[in-house]
């Protein structure tokens, strides 16, 4: 472990070189693998995040008992990328070649031996997880309804062709033939239904090819692929009062939790805070108002900027609204929205006295990672020197089998 961590520290300082060398080596020596990856340069840029996020996650958890279950789950999840045993061998050879080139003189026989053995353990664990899975690699799902709210928000209703197990609050990886080999995560906006349909709330991300395709181009009758449902933003049912906080299309998993609460009413009051950049983006307000009128245990607060003010004022208004509420040390809080919003709100809630262990949110990958505030793609140097927080997909929080 000491050798792996010290040598990886060298690699991190030359991450750009390592990533470029890895993919050049992989595709040059295994041209057939290229088709498993996105075709566009923009989509391939995201691979740098994923590769080093995965390596960092593994290296940081060496010796941790949670690492093996994580690798098993990661192997099950990689089946949707059509990963086969021979691909693991090819990736391992290219990874060792990239590490050797990047480490330079620090790449000694002992370092090579440590990484060779470590990668074999990782690959064996992932392949074992894939082989043991009883679920399909992916689910085919038909778009049966497509609603647009403005230019940048879409609600897609899907009907999977086979039973799709999920719990309220979880998210799912989605792929479309319109953007081959690209997968993005979107939260499921409903509790399980008898007719087995799913709702996805999609916010179009500037320069996001898949989100743009799903919001502006996809039509009923088209087919999508779904990975396994994942995530831990699920109700604990601990008998404590509950607060739900949603921003933007982060409303989707909160809506699913609210559906579950409506089906099995809680013993304690529920507080719902819905944050939007303006009143026009409260696209589900009729449903929320209907719930508030039907259930005496639900209190709703809408948060938007003052007319003519910047949308960031909504976060400041949320802070004021939360500060005017009491009993935060007693609450279970479920939180969903863009990663910066979640991070700021977590700090705020802890300052109000909410125990960190009672603030629940998921680290689903951010759709906009890799772009600056103006929407321009970050250069590698900009990205690496000021890296966004890594939200690496963790498939270990999987839905139970029926």
């Amino acid at each position: 472990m000491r050798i792996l961590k010290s040598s990886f520290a060298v690699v991190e300082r030359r991450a750009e070189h390592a990533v470029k060398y890895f993919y050049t080596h992989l595709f040059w020596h295994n041209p057939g693998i290229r088709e498993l990856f996105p075709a566009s340069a923009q989509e391939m840029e995201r691979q740098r995040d994923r590769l080093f996020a995965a390596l960092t996650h593994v290296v940081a958890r060496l010796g941790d008992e949670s690492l093996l279950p994580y690798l098993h789950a990661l192997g099950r999840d990689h089946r949707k990328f059509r990963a086969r045993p021979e691909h693991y061998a090819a990736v391992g050879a290219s990874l060792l070649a990239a590490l050797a080139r990047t480490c330079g003189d620090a790449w000694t026989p002992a370092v090579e031996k440590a990484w060779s053995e470590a990668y074999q353990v990782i690959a064996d664990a992932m392949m074992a997880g894939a082989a043991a899975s009883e679920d399909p690699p992916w689910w085919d799902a038909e778009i049966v309804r497509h609603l647009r709210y403005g230019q940048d928000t879409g609600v897609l209703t899907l009907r999977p062709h086979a039973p799709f197990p999920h719990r309220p609050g979880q998210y799912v990886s989605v792929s479309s033939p319109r953007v081959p080999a690209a997968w993005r995560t979107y939260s499921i906006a409903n509790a399980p239904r008898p007719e087995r349909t799913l709702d996805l709330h999609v916010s179009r991300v500037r320069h996001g090819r898949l989100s743009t395709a799903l919001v502006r181009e996809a039509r009923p009758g088209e087919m999508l692929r779904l990975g396994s449902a994942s995530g831990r933003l699920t109700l604990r049912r601990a008998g404590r009062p509950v607060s739900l906080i949603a921003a933007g299309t982060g409303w989707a998993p909160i809506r699913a939790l609210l559906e579950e609460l409506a089906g099995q009413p809680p013993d304690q009051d529920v507080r719902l805070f819905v944050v939007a950049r303006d009143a026009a983006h409260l696209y589900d307000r009729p449903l929320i108002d209907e719930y508030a009128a039907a259930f005496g245990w639900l209190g709703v607060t809408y948060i938007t900027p003052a007319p003519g003010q910047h949308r960031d004022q909504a976060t400041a208004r949320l802070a004021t609204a939360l500060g005017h509420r009491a009993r935060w040390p007693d609450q279970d809080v479920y939180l969903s929205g863009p990663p910066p919003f979640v991070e700021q709100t977590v700090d705020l809630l802890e300052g109000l006295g909410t125990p960190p262990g009672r603030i629940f949110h998921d680290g689903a990958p951010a759709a906009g990672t890799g772009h600056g505030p103006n929407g321009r793609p970050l250069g590698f140097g900009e990205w690496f020197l000021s890296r966004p927080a890594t939200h690496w997909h963790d498939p270990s929080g999987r839905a139970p089998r029926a």
Side-chain angles (χ1 to χ4, degrees):
M1 288 189 286
R2 178 184 58 80
I3 292 174
L4 293 173
K5 290 182 177 182
S6 61
S7 58
F8 190 66
V10 176
V11 173
E12 280 192 305
R13 292 195 292 270
R14 302 186 65 201
E16 180 179 15
H17 174 80
V19 170
K20 288 182 177 178
Y21 192 91
F22 169 78
Y23 284 110
T24 300
H25 188 280
L26 180 65
F27 297 152
W28 177 263
H29 291 279
N30 308 275
I33 286 182
R34 182 65 183 87
E35 67 179 20
L36 303 182
F37 290 81
S40 74
Q42 180 185 359
E43 292 294 328
M44 277 302 299
E45 283 182 3
R46 297 177 184 269
Q47 295 300 127
R48 70 188 180 197
D49 298 35
R50 293 171 183 158
L51 174 64
F52 268 86
L55 282 174
T56 301
H57 184 97
V58 170
V59 171
R61 286 161 179 76
L62 292 172
D64 191 317
E65 62 182 14
S66 68
L67 181 58
L68 192 60
Y70 170 80
L71 292 172
H72 287 160
L74 198 61
R76 290 193 298 268
D77 194 63
H78 267 63
R79 293 177 305 143
K80 70 173 184 271
F81 302 119
R82 295 180 290 162
R84 299 194 300 270
E86 61 267 28
H87 297 147
Y88 284 92
V91 166
S94 294
L95 177 62
L96 292 177
L99 293 173
R101 177 61 64 96
T102 307
C103 284
D105 293 341
W107 188 256
T108 64
V111 173
E112 181 176 9
K113 181 174 184 292
W115 274 103
S116 297
E117 293 177 354
Y119 180 78
Q120 195 59 55
V121 169
I122 292 169
D124 287 347
M126 291 180 66
M127 286 188 287
S133 178
E134 298 179 17
D135 289 329
W138 62 75
W139 282 257
D140 291 317
E142 179 185 357
I143 301 175
V144 295
R145 187 177 66 169
H146 187 290
L147 301 177
R148 282 270 297 274
Y149 296 92
Q151 293 296 310
D152 296 328
T153 302
V155 175
L156 285 67
T157 300
L158 313 178
R159 181 177 289 114
H161 286 185
F164 183 82
H166 71 96
R167 297 177 62 190
Q170 292 192 307
Y171 61 84
V172 61
S173 298
V174 179
S175 180
S176 166
R178 290 180 178 270
V179 190
W183 291 79
R184 297 287 179 273
T185 53
Y186 298 101
S187 294
I188 301 169
N190 60 279
R193 297 167 173 162
E195 68 271 24
R196 303 204 312 245
T197 57
L198 309 173
D199 287 343
L200 302 182
H201 293 197
V202 182
S203 179
R204 191 184 77 86
V205 176
R206 189 180 180 190
H207 302 295
R209 296 184 65 215
L210 183 56
S211 65
T212 299
L214 293 178
V215 172
R216 296 186 174 180
E217 302 167 12
R219 296 291 181 268
E222 292 187 18
M223 300 297 298
L224 303 178
R225 284 181 174 178
L226 308 178
S228 299
S230 301
R232 295 186 174 90
L233 188 67
T234 52
L235 286 174
R236 270 58 179 181
R237 294 284 183 177
R240 291 186 288 266
V242 169
S243 289
L244 309 172
I245 305 175
T249 49
W251 159 244
I254 299 301
R255 172 178 168 157
L257 296 180
L258 198 56
E259 279 192 16
E260 181 179 352
L261 289 167
Q264 297 177 289
D267 297 328
Q268 303 279 349
D269 288 343
V270 175
R271 306 190 297 203
L272 171 64
F273 301 85
V274 184
V275 184
R277 65 179 68 179
D278 55 48
H281 282 80
L282 293 171
Y283 59 93
D284 234 356
R285 183 162 186 165
L287 174 79
I288 299 171
D289 290 342
E290 182 182 326
Y291 270 57
F295 303 113
W297 44 263
L298 178 63
V300 178
T301 302
Y302 295 107
I303 309 289
T304 59
Q309 296 298 311
H310 192 274
R311 65 186 185 184
D312 288 350
Q313 192 196 46
T315 305
R317 285 191 152 193
L318 174 65
T320 301
L322 298 183
H324 288 164
R325 301 301 195 279
R327 300 179 61 198
W328 287 110
D330 302 327
Q331 299 283 315
D332 278 354
V333 183
Y334 297 85
L335 175 61
S336 181
F341 170 84
V342 170
E343 292 166 9
Q344 293 175 31
T345 307
V346 167
D347 290 341
L348 176 63
L349 290 167
E350 291 181 359
L352 292 171
T354 310
R358 293 185 187 172
I359 303 173
F360 306 107
H361 60 89
D362 258 327
T369 298
H371 292 86
N374 60 0
R376 178 178 61 83
L378 295 176
F380 193 93
E382 296 173 287
W383 172 85
F384 189 71
L385 292 174
S386 183
R387 248 183 287 190
T390 298
H391 296 276
W392 177 244
H393 171 53
D394 181 358
S396 57
R398 299 167 69 87
R401 290 183 55 79

